[in-house]
Amino acid sequence: MSALLLSLARENPWPALALASLNLVVALSLVGVGLVLGVTVSLLAWLHALVDREAVPAGPRTGRSAAR
């Protein structure tokens, strides 16, 4: 298969250039989708942690800091 592509590239380089640019577009698209999914998952995790956070009591503190 690669010998066939190599022989076509010697005669006309445009199909090989088109295939290379298509590979570049697909690769950049996959990287972009991966970044978007990563940011989405991290934002959802942050929002989940924000919602599940327990309220901090406003009364006197307990522990070593209360002795000061």
Side-chain angles (χ1 to χ4, degrees), residues 1-13 15-16 19:
M1 182 70 182
S2 62
L4 177 65
L5 289 176
L6 205 63
S7 67
L8 288 174
R10 285 188 197 130
E11 295 175 9
N12 187 5
L19 187 62

Side-chain angles (χ1 to χ4, degrees), residues 12-65:
N12 187 5
W14 291 111
L17 290 174
L19 187 62
S21 63
L22 180 65
N23 283 339
L24 182 65
V25 167
V26 169
L28 289 176
S29 300
L30 289 175
V31 168
V33 166
L35 286 174
V36 167
L37 285 176
V39 168
T40 303
V41 167
S42 64
L43 283 176
L44 285 174
W46 172 77
L47 186 63
H48 184 69
L50 190 67
V51 168
D52 281 350
R53 183 170 60 178
E54 292 182 11
V56 177
R61 295 183 181 182
T62 59
R64 289 194 290 173
S65 62

